[in-house]
Amino acid sequence: MKRWCVLWAALLVPVLSAAEWKAGAAKVPMTPQGPLFMAGYGNRARPSEGVALELYAKALVLEDPAGTRAVLVTTDMLGFPASLSNAIADRVREKYGIPRDRLMLNSSHTHCGPVVMGMAAVPGYNMKPKDWEAVAVYTRELEDKIVAVIGTAIKQMAPARLSFGKTVAGFGVHRRMPGGKLWGPNYAGPADHDVPVLRVEAADGSLLAVAFGYGTHNSTVGIFKFHGDYAGSAQKWLEDRHPGAVAMFVMGCGGDVKAYPNQTLELVDAYGATLGAAVEQRFQRGMVPVNGDLKTHFETVPLKFAEPPTRAQFEERAKSRSPITRRHAETMLKTLDRDGRLPADYPYPVQAWQFGKDLTMVALGGEVVSEYALRLNKELGTERLWVAGYSNDEFAYIPSVRILDEGGYEADSSMEFYLLPGRWASSVEETVVGAVHQAVKRVRGE
């Protein structure tokens, strides 16, 4: 009799350990129901013309053994402007009791997604008042959908097991040529090929959700139909093979990395299948269990701008034939007239989650270039570190010092798209990396 009791106790161990975590996942379509201007390319002068692949907003709610609850949200769009992130965070705090540090908002940065209110990177678009009205309506609907899908995921929470691992994919290539010239491919340039994978499975071992990342621009195509690019295809690939599971793409540090070759939907699907298969293969190899309590941190740090152009220089630029340069100059002149000066810095969001001793997730705002992920993995330990960009606020490129020194799009002209005063100060890299180190120390209890 004692022997049978021992055997039954051994069989129950996996079930009991599974109950240490709880998880719930849900998704909701976020594809606009009619024509809407699309974000990502500065030369789009007309609204969308249909749907090539459904866009989704997805939520994963995790609760650790101590009852600490956190939410990861991913979306098939260019990025969360701070205004939208803040509105969602306020409602999630009020409705579900989840504070800002436990809400992580990430976007795939697809260039075939919708414009939302608060995006500055649309200065070249030929948008009329009725177009902005449609965007405003859509943005309110999207905010409601994201808050609601978090509630749906909370209702579906059940005992779960978490595990983590990394694999690789090789289609992302550095897009800057030596000297800062665009565009690549520059196969000798830096790129982060890591594919971090967080597997969330039910107590019976079935896949409940998977979050996975990659640091490459979702700009494989520039069609006028809504599509999640390779990230959307990869999520669909995994969900088709795991019915009922929610696959979530978390964009990495891919500000200077692009898929090569590109320009066709066939390649988009091929890259999606490549990424999905890499995740599936990582499942087969086995994952490292994630245990322990969840510690979280969120803050904004001032990211300084370099000395901006003078009023006279902006007045000259306001005469430019380029609508992007002209709109940027006009905006800066209006700011000078209103405030008497231009902003000296920008509140940069840095977020960190620590899962016991098994996984550290870092989420950075903006279009972070690949060298940040490569450097942080080297300094903080690559095996159990996940560095994401395009999180919480998508407001500008975050170049490395090397790219700042070289100049070019990510360092200079892109700031016109984002309606910021000018390039970042040379302290940008050390400010961001230093803030990450401090955040990680806090959540690791060091």
Side-chain angles (χ1 to χ4, degrees), residues 95-153:
K95 189 167 186 177
Y96 307 122
I98 297 171
R100 184 65 187 89
D101 55 301
R102 295 192 222 147
L103 174 65
M104 187 179 291
L105 302 165
N106 182 276
S107 289
S108 68
H109 199 60
T110 176
H111 284 44
C112 291
V115 169
V116 300
M117 295 300 292
M119 284 182 176
V122 289
Y125 296 179
N126 184 31
M127 293 180 67
K128 297 176 174 59
K130 64 180 180 65
D131 299 315
W132 282 113
E133 290 171 7
V135 168
V137 170
Y138 173 77
T139 304
R140 290 192 294 270
E141 292 173 349
L142 178 62
E143 180 185 322
D144 291 342
K145 285 183 176 182
I146 291 174
V147 173
V149 79
I150 292 172
T152 302

Side-chain angles (χ1 to χ4, degrees), residues 67-317:
T68 300
R69 188 174 290 180
V71 182
L72 169 66
V73 172
T74 62
T75 58
D76 295 322
M77 67 179 185
L78 193 74
F80 279 96
S83 56
L84 180 56
S85 291
N86 293 339
I88 292 170
D90 288 344
R91 291 178 62 181
V92 168
R93 182 188 301 109
E94 181 179 349
K95 189 167 186 177
Y96 307 122
I98 297 171
R100 184 65 187 89
D101 55 301
R102 295 192 222 147
L103 174 65
M104 187 179 291
L105 302 165
N106 182 276
S107 289
S108 68
H109 199 60
T110 176
H111 284 44
C112 291
V115 169
V116 300
M117 295 300 292
M119 284 182 176
V122 289
Y125 296 179
N126 184 31
M127 293 180 67
K128 297 176 174 59
K130 64 180 180 65
D131 299 315
W132 282 113
E133 290 171 7
V135 168
V137 170
Y138 173 77
T139 304
R140 290 192 294 270
E141 292 173 349
L142 178 62
E143 180 185 322
D144 291 342
K145 285 183 176 182
I146 291 174
V147 173
V149 79
I150 292 172
T152 302
I154 290 173
K155 291 177 182 177
Q156 295 180 357
M157 291 182 67
R161 284 190 292 267
L162 274 59
S163 55
F164 178 74
K166 283 189 175 183
T167 183
V168 296
F171 57 85
V173 181
H174 194 70
R175 72 182 190 184
R176 290 169 54 91
M177 299 304 286
K181 296 179 181 179
L182 292 180
W183 302 90
N186 178 2
Y187 291 98
D192 179 22
H193 297 298
D194 279 358
V195 178
V197 181
L198 178 66
R199 179 183 172 95
V200 183
E201 61 183 44
D204 63 2
S206 61
L207 185 66
L208 188 149
V210 55
F212 63 103
Y214 195 50
T216 292
H217 249 70
N218 271 282
S219 58
T220 315
V221 291
I223 58 176
F224 274 81
K225 292 185 177 182
F226 291 116
H227 195 295
D229 210 274
Y230 76 80
S233 292
Q235 292 171 92
K236 185 177 185 303
W237 192 95
L238 285 163
E239 290 179 353
D240 286 347
R241 283 155 182 77
H242 296 276
V246 178
M248 306 173 67
F249 176 82
V250 178
M251 180 61 174
C253 298
D256 54 349
V257 180
K258 187 177 177 74
Y260 288 98
N262 47 55
Q263 296 301 319
T264 71
L265 284 174
E266 289 77 12
L267 284 167
V268 169
D269 288 338
Y271 296 143
T274 296
L275 190 54
V279 172
E280 191 70 41
Q281 193 266 344
R282 179 67 233 203
F283 287 168
Q284 303 305 318
R285 285 170 47 202
M287 310 276 283
V288 178
V290 173
N291 300 299
D293 294 338
L294 179 61
K295 305 296 183 184
T296 60
H297 177 72
F298 178 91
E299 66 175 320
T300 59
V301 297
L303 211 56
K304 294 181 179 179
F305 295 111
E307 188 70 23
T310 64
R311 173 182 283 274
Q313 289 172 315
F314 281 128
E315 288 173 344
E316 188 62 29
R317 293 180 184 182

